[in-house]
Amino acid sequence: MPEPQPSDAIVIGGGLVGAAIGYGLARQGLKVTLLDEGDVALRAARGNFGLVWVQSKGPGVPEYQHWTRLSSDRWPGLAAELRETTGVDCAHERRGGFAICLTEDELEQRRQMLEVLRRQAGAVEFEYEILDHGALARRVPLIGPEVVGASYTPYDGAVHPLYLLRALHAGLLRHGARYEPNARVNAVHAAPHDFRIEARGTAHAAPRLVLAAGLGSRELAPLAGLHAPLRPVRGQILATERVAPAIPLTQKIRQMSEGALLIGDSFEEAGYDDSTAPQVLSALAARAVRTFPFLREVQLVRSWAALRVMSPDGLPIYEQSARFPGAFLASCHSGVTLAAAHAYPYAEAVARGALPDELARFASRRFDVPKAA
Amino acid sequence: MFRRLPETAAQPVTVVIDGRPVRVPFDLTAAAAVLIGDGITRTTPVSGSPRAPYCMMGVCFDCLMEIDGVPNTQACMVPVAEGMRINRQVGARKVRS
């Protein structure tokens, strides 16, 4: 192996998490090397729904609620900065979001969850509305007769996730990062503040390492003294033809800036199988048509599945390696929502060399509790 | 724009393209019928620029038209029929409220 290529930070993973952190490091002036596995990777960043979603995040875990909200609050700045730096508009919108309920039970569960979030919000104001059918119909006229109501918060938004990925990558290059495609990691040599990574016949060296390889982090983490007990959770999405503006943002059905409607989302334990399943797609379509009957006449043009990167408790994992300081893990299933948190506070903490106390709740040691006999 | 080989000449039918009756061979697709004229099938919902049939085999979605009242139909996949109404798809289709 020849002399390693030096940089200030190596990021493993070119999806939304790795690209956001890498961008955040590069914009601070650090020399970043981003290693991206390639088309064989599972690539959740290319299959997601694109929500910047706040209203259901973190009941019982105020740290997650606050982190999500912080990201949502910083998203307008990130979108503007990316547009200015790269010319790519990732179509960020933040006009609030509706979670539409088809039964009284669903609506009551939403109300209870949002009340928990309001009470635990602390200094961060958290306002929500519960709307019955009539109140919702005044704001979302195309709902069907079976819709019971919805919850609404003004904090929710969305982006076009593919434009976001493109913007982050363009921003990385703009700030002088080295991007290595098809760079599956072959070897990790870790020492405190001294990391050598081999990928595609090239060695890279840096005092900082960020592991953001999605489900691939599971196997790489132990090599850097980190722990990432992740599993795939499949989600399937339907996409329609482009139509004129029809609906505001809802949690399971959204209209993209260019007119297509996306219908999600399923949660399936399917291992690493990322193929679609007709019975799941037909259930999504059936619910969508009950929610918005006009969809009956709108043509579907695509469907796909992607694998969420899920921790045992569904929360992100953020930690710095105790054994090899300078190595950081970042993993979550909300790479779009949390992109601003990753590009700004998380990347600033990595550059500084210490994660803030607010993120201590997300360290992997929470999974070390021995199981009761 | 395109000329048919003489040996393939076939019985004509009348279709109505953007309100104008046109006699075309019965074995054409709607997209091929449009190509006898100006070839423009739609304007895009993103930039508003005009588009014409491209792949002619159901893949590219550039020939979307409103055919017999159904918007965003792939014109290259629809054989013409007597009296068929073939209209340009102008921008994004509307949904029924």
Side-chain angles (χ1 to χ4, degrees):
Chain A
M1 193 62 59
E3 261 313 278
Q5 304 273 338
S7 55
D8 298 320
I10 296 166
V11 178
I12 301 178
L16 286 171
V17 177
I21 296 169
Y23 170 78
L25 292 168
R27 69 184 282 284
Q28 297 174 74
L30 275 72
K31 179 76 187 165
V32 172
T33 298
L34 183 78
L35 305 177
D36 200 358
E37 183 176 13
D39 287 339
V40 296
L42 295 163
R43 298 201 144 166
R46 284 157 174 81
N48 72 72
F49 204 64
L51 298 182
V52 179
W53 198 252
V54 175
Q55 71 167 273
S56 45
K57 302 287 177 64
V61 190
E63 296 90 341
Y64 188 38
Q65 180 183 16
H66 293 158
W67 184 243
T68 298
R69 179 66 174 280
L70 175 156
S71 197
S72 158
D73 288 345
R74 298 208 57 180
W75 241 109
L78 176 63
E81 184 180 298
L82 288 172
R83 197 165 49 237
E84 206 159 293
T85 311
T86 69
V88 179
D89 183 348
C90 50
H92 176 251
E93 58 159 293
R94 196 196 199 195
R95 293 187 285 262
F98 297 89
I100 293 181
C101 300
L102 296 182
T103 67
E104 294 288 352
D105 270 0
E106 280 180 28
L107 191 60
E108 177 56 21
Q109 280 171 26
R110 297 293 306 180
R111 194 193 63 72
Q112 288 177 15
M113 181 192 65
L114 287 161
E115 188 53 23
V116 168
L117 286 166
R118 191 185 67 78
R119 284 167 190 269
Q120 76 179 29
V124 188
E125 193 175 290
F126 184 84
E127 299 296 338
Y128 67 92
E129 293 176 69
I130 296 291
L131 306 165
D132 64 14
H133 181 92
L136 181 61
R138 282 191 287 280
R139 286 157 71 173
V140 189
L142 294 181
I143 55 169
E146 289 184 68
V147 170
V148 168
S151 61
Y152 172 87
T153 78
Y155 317 110
D156 305 302
V159 298
H160 192 309
L162 297 178
Y163 284 135
L164 170 60
L165 187 62
R166 181 167 147 205
L168 290 169
H169 278 252
L172 272 156
L173 295 178
R174 193 66 192 255
H175 287 293
R178 181 188 297 133
Y179 174 70
E180 297 283 347
N182 304 311
R184 184 184 170 84
V185 169
N186 304 122
V188 174
H189 306 283
H193 306 290
D194 179 14
F195 302 93
R196 274 151 210 268
I197 311 297
E198 292 169 25
R200 203 182 54 162
T202 306
H204 304 273
R208 297 176 193 81
L209 173 68
V210 176
L211 183 54
L215 290 163
S217 291
R218 186 185 169 95
E219 287 184 15
L220 292 169
L223 307 176
L226 298 160
H227 181 43
L230 302 165
R231 75 177 196 286
V233 174
R234 189 167 71 182
Q236 299 187 46
I237 293 175
L238 292 163
T240 75
E241 61 182 318
R242 289 170 175 164
V243 302
I247 57 165
L249 184 64
T250 80
Q251 188 173 18
K252 291 177 185 295
I253 303 168
R254 64 166 297 204
Q255 189 162 20
M256 308 299 283
S257 52
E258 293 173 347
L261 291 143
L262 297 190
I263 299 165
D265 53 348
S266 61
F267 287 80
E268 305 157 71
E269 299 288 345
Y272 285 87
D273 177 0
D274 66 355
S275 56
T276 54
Q279 65 275 24
V280 175
L281 293 174
S282 68
L284 292 179
R287 184 180 170 103
V289 166
R290 291 170 68 201
T291 306
F292 291 118
F294 77 84
L295 287 171
R296 199 181 300 276
E297 293 176 10
V298 176
Q299 302 177 68
L300 296 170
V301 295
R302 269 186 288 286
S303 64
W304 65 86
L307 302 177
R308 292 185 189 80
V309 179
M310 196 62 72
S311 70
D313 58 8
L315 300 175
I317 308 176
Y318 300 122
E319 65 185 359
Q320 178 168 201
S321 174
R323 192 162 154 222
F324 304 118
F328 295 84
L329 172 66
S331 172
C332 71
H333 64 80
S334 296
V336 175
T337 299
L338 295 175
H342 293 155
Y344 298 130
Y346 194 85
E348 285 153 18
V350 170
R352 224 171 28 241
L355 294 183
D357 293 342
E358 305 89 272
L359 294 185
R361 172 71 176 80
F362 301 106
S364 70
R365 61 178 166 271
R366 69 185 191 268
F367 304 122
D368 297 343
V369 180
K371 288 204 170 64
Chain B
M1 191 172 183
F2 289 86
R3 209 167 51 229
R4 241 175 115 80
L5 295 172
E7 65 269 27
T8 63
Q11 290 298 312
V13 295
T14 300
V15 296
V16 183
I17 300 178
D18 286 324
R20 200 164 45 88
V22 185
R23 303 266 286 170
V24 299
F26 81 98
D27 58 352
L28 293 190
T29 63
V34 169
L35 281 171
I36 294 172
D38 66 5
I40 295 174
T41 50
R42 66 178 184 123
T43 59
T44 79
V46 178
S47 68
S49 67
R51 288 291 189 272
Y54 180 61
C55 76
M56 296 298 278
M57 59 182 197
V59 174
C60 76
F61 285 73
D62 255 336
C63 67
L64 297 178
M65 302 195 78
E66 187 189 290
I67 297 180
D68 284 339
V70 181
N72 278 354
T73 302
Q74 289 176 280
C76 72
M77 295 282 98
V78 180
V80 294
E82 183 64 35
M84 176 179 276
R85 288 168 296 119
I86 304 169
N87 290 325
R88 257 184 221 186
Q89 177 69 48
V90 178
R93 64 163 290 187
K94 309 284 186 290
V95 299
R96 195 192 301 226
S97 55

